[in-house]
Amino acid sequence: MFNQIKEKALKEIAQTKDLKKLEQIYRRYLGRKGELTKVLRSLKDLPDKERREKGQLANQFKKEIDEAIKTKDREFSGQSGSAKGKGWIDVSAPGLRPPEGHPHPISLAQRQVEDIFQSMGFSVVEGPEIENEYYNFDALNIPKDHPARDLWDTFWLKDIDLLLRTHTSPMQARYMEKHQPPLRIIVPGRCFRHEATDASHDVQFYQTEGLMVGRDISMVHFKGIVEEFLKQFFGPEVKMRLRPGYFPFTEPSFEVDIKDKKKNWLEIMGAGMVHQNVFKEVGYPLRKWQGFAFGVGLERLAMLKYKIDDIRLFYSGDLRFLNQF
Ligand code: DAH
């Protein structure tokens, strides 16, 4: 008997085309005077064993019918027209928590770099990602036909005298044109190189430029400040070394390496004492000022700190990677 009621109900539900009919069906079977409700009520007069068995079955059928009605109702609620929005709403259901965002590992590294340098009196300034040839090269003592231009594989923008900056160094000249020493700045930002990608190179990357100029700023200041920065960033046990290097805008130039966990030296920044030609170009009187500059790769810093072995992960958008930070 139960079974027949259930079959009948399910069939009617399947054939219903509107919410009103669905409500009628609900009342007919599960309402206070509904068919199944009546049957359930009549069970109380049966002997114990039978009552338990039948009760279980009837309750199960009740559940099935109820589910079928709810499913159908959801179907109607999703439709446009008069039935829309009239479905049952389970007000006791927990709300949907919107997923919470968090900073990208490169942003994390950049913020730490900014905090540390700001604590040492440096200001944070930013420059344009689309640069012109003059600031990216000429102002940095890299004239048009100088072979040193080959150090930076450049994305030139077609038919206009612009390019994607290959480093954050152009901001040195832009800033000094407008400000007089003494000065201390860092310039975080995105740079671009027309290079093949591999585990440690990508066509875009983040760099932070540093520049400190005064009457008597020397390599000693450079070494002290960079060592302090690295200690705060990586911890007091960090080991660094300076190696001779070459950059047209510094004289002398050097590279800074730090020792990784496997005891290998890894290059993390280029640096040097600002070339007098750069000062001359921004209009400073010759030999009045001296200072140091550096450019540090933010990905390199983040890779060492968080033990990441492939730079391309930063730009993959892969949440399995990003959600670890
Ligand atoms: N701009 C250089 C590069 O991207 C890095 C660099 C080297 C920056 C020496 C400096 C510097 O400021 O003094 O390869």
Side-chain angles (χ1 to χ4, degrees), residues 177-210:
E177 276 179 348
K178 298 210 174 90
H179 299 83
Q180 289 295 312
L183 55 88
R184 292 177 224 189
I185 54 163
I186 58 165
V187 190
R190 186 155 57 146
C191 307
F192 307 85
R193 302 253 175 109
H194 190 197
E195 284 180 357
T197 59
D198 62 32
S200 49
H201 297 87
D202 209 329
V203 292
Q204 59 169 342
F205 60 97
Y206 283 79
Q207 206 174 48
T208 296
E209 193 79 8

Side-chain angles (χ1 to χ4, degrees), residues 152 166-167 169 172 193 207 209-210 247 249-250 270-272 293-295:
W152 294 274
T166 59
H167 46 186
S169 306
Q172 288 189 25
R193 302 253 175 109
Q207 206 174 48
E209 193 79 8
F247 298 98
F249 34 94
T250 42
F294 63 84

Side-chain angles (χ1 to χ4, degrees), residues 29-248:
Y29 292 95
L30 304 181
R32 245 171 2 107
K33 292 184 188 150
E35 288 189 32
L36 201 65
T37 317
K38 272 192 207 151
V39 174
L40 271 161
R41 264 201 217 117
S42 69
L43 295 177
K44 68 177 189 304
D45 303 325
L46 294 175
D48 261 5
K49 187 158 170 266
E50 211 184 331
R51 190 179 64 213
R52 215 174 307 123
E53 278 170 15
K54 289 206 168 144
Q56 245 171 29
L57 204 61
N59 270 319
Q60 190 203 318
F61 287 168
K62 187 179 159 185
K63 230 195 238 162
E64 277 176 49
I65 295 172
D66 196 43
E67 270 309 307
I69 290 180
K70 278 197 182 135
T71 309
K72 197 71 180 182
D73 178 63
R74 257 177 249 131
E75 240 170 67
F76 290 144
S77 309
Q79 285 169 7
S80 56
S82 58
K84 191 175 177 190
K86 281 199 198 153
W88 280 299
I89 294 172
D90 181 357
V91 292
S92 68
L96 293 179
R97 181 182 279 275
E100 224 172 89
H102 57 84
H104 189 278
I106 297 188
S107 305
L108 282 178
Q110 182 177 324
R111 285 183 198 176
Q112 284 171 46
V113 172
E114 288 175 4
D115 284 351
I116 296 169
F117 277 100
Q118 277 176 323
S119 77
M120 295 192 277
F122 284 71
S123 311
V124 180
V125 297
E126 284 184 275
E129 290 176 1
I130 295 177
E131 250 311 350
N132 60 36
E133 191 177 350
Y134 174 75
Y135 286 111
N136 201 81
F137 293 121
D138 302 78
L140 295 167
N141 199 31
I142 321 171
K144 241 191 187 52
D145 300 314
H146 199 286
R149 283 208 177 184
D150 293 346
L151 292 174
W152 294 274
D153 295 302
T154 309
F155 283 112
W156 296 91
L157 300 182
K158 221 170 165 187
D159 301 330
I160 38 177
D161 174 31
L162 293 172
L163 49 83
L164 299 183
R165 69 173 170 194
T166 59
H167 46 186
T168 42
S169 306
M171 203 45 198
Q172 288 189 25
R174 282 183 180 276
Y175 190 83
M176 287 193 286
E177 276 179 348
K178 298 210 174 90
H179 299 83
Q180 289 295 312
L183 55 88
R184 292 177 224 189
I185 54 163
I186 58 165
V187 190
R190 186 155 57 146
C191 307
F192 307 85
R193 302 253 175 109
H194 190 197
E195 284 180 357
T197 59
D198 62 32
S200 49
H201 297 87
D202 209 329
V203 292
Q204 59 169 342
F205 60 97
Y206 283 79
Q207 206 174 48
T208 296
E209 193 79 8
L211 176 70
M212 179 169 184
V213 181
R215 277 261 188 257
D216 53 8
I217 302 300
S218 72
M219 274 181 69
V220 177
H221 295 96
F222 171 75
K223 202 168 171 233
I225 283 177
V226 166
E227 201 158 7
E228 179 59 24
F229 159 64
L230 293 174
K231 280 194 171 135
Q232 286 197 35
F233 190 84
F234 288 110
E237 67 291 347
V238 70
K239 289 260 172 318
M240 77 172 238
R241 74 173 181 191
L242 300 185
R243 253 183 316 121
Y246 171 73
F247 298 98

